């Protein structure tokens, strides 16, 4: 008789932190469409992602509320309901795949990419770099504007306080 048989790995965590870990992995996968993690974590998260996308495909308010209770991230739930469900409407299952990367240098843990099957790295890379360049440009212009304002204040202060 096998008393300690478990269907899933507990990762050495209690139930609350384990659920939080899985929830975070699922949310990251939905938002970024590709995550790099260890093999056991990817296997656990994959189960929940498949179920979440299937719920999203059903559509409707009860499914949305159920996903919100499980994920507690409104943007991830809306992406599942709107984008992912329409992308996978003709697919019966198997929405994700794992690509093995080898072992991590520090502890020799097996690393994988967990991604959606229609993930295109070239398209995602160009989108990320475009978004990053826009953010960098905006922050650069904001810093430049702030420096200019500070110089004006300093110049005025010098004129007022200059001894004559």
């Amino acid at each position: 008789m096998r008393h300690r048989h478990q269907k899933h790995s507990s990762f050495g965590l209690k139930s609350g932190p384990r659920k939080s870990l899985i929830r975070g992995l699922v949310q990251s996968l939905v938002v970024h469409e590709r995550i790099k993690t260890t093999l056991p974590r990817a296997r656990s998260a994959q189960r929940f992602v498949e179920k979440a996308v299937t719920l999203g495909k059903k559509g409707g308010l009860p499914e949305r509320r159920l996903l919100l209770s499980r994920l507690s991230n409104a943007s991830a739930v809306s992406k599942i309901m709107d984008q992912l469900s329409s992308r996978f409407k003709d697919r019966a299952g198997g929405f994700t795949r794992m690509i093995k990367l080898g072992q991590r240098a520090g502890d020799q843990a097996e690393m994988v990419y967990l991604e959606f099957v229609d993930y295109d790295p070239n398209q995602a890379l160009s989108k990320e770099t475009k978004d990053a360049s826009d953010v960098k440009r905006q922050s650069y212009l904001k810093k430049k504007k702030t420096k200019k304002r500070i110089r004006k204040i300093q110049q005025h202060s010098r004129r007022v306080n200059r001894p004559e």
Side-chain angles (χ1 to χ4, degrees):
M1 189 180 287
R2 184 107 165 95
H3 293 287
R4 298 262 314 161
H5 178 69
Q6 293 181 342
K7 289 185 178 181
H8 59 84
S9 172
S10 65
F11 305 116
L13 299 171
K14 293 189 176 183
S15 63
R18 184 178 58 248
K19 288 177 185 177
S20 179
L21 171 75
I22 299 298
R23 181 182 298 140
L25 287 171
V26 171
Q27 289 173 3
S28 295
L29 180 63
V30 168
V31 170
H32 301 291
E33 298 190 7
R34 181 186 209 184
I35 57 172
K36 183 179 181 181
T37 185
T38 61
L39 184 62
R41 287 180 179 185
R43 283 186 178 150
S44 292
Q46 189 176 27
R47 290 178 34 223
F48 291 97
V49 170
E50 299 281 338
K51 290 177 181 179
V53 173
T54 304
L55 270 176
K57 283 173 56 175
K58 289 181 182 176
L61 187 60
E63 286 79 13
R64 183 178 294 271
R65 287 181 175 163
L66 186 58
L67 283 173
L68 270 171
S69 71
R70 290 181 182 172
L71 295 182
S72 69
N73 185 343
S75 63
V77 170
S78 64
K79 186 170 182 179
I80 290 172
M81 298 293 285
D82 301 333
Q83 295 176 11
L84 295 178
S85 62
S86 62
R87 277 172 33 191
F88 296 120
K89 66 181 176 188
D90 297 330
R91 194 174 184 94
F95 310 116
T96 59
R97 69 172 160 230
M98 284 186 270
I99 300 171
K100 292 190 177 185
L101 300 173
Q103 295 177 331
R104 186 163 49 195
D107 60 355
Q108 302 301 311
E110 185 73 28
M111 298 299 290
V112 296
Y113 275 132
L114 180 62
E115 62 185 22
F116 289 109
V117 292
D118 62 349
Y119 177 77
D120 184 16
N122 296 329
Q123 181 183 5
L125 183 63
S126 63
K127 182 181 175 185
E128 289 173 5
T129 54
K130 182 181 176 187
D131 292 344
S133 64
D134 288 346
V135 169
K136 284 182 182 178
R137 180 166 171 74
Q138 293 296 328
S139 66
Y140 170 74
L141 291 174
K142 188 175 180 181
K143 286 179 185 177
K144 189 175 179 181
K145 192 174 183 180
T146 304
K147 284 183 180 181
K148 192 172 185 178
R149 187 174 52 86
I150 289 172
R151 281 196 299 266
K152 277 190 170 185
I153 293 170
Q154 289 172 343
Q155 187 179 19
H156 178 72
S157 175
R158 284 190 204 105
R159 281 191 202 133
V160 171
N161 297 323
R162 181 177 292 152
E164 294 183 16

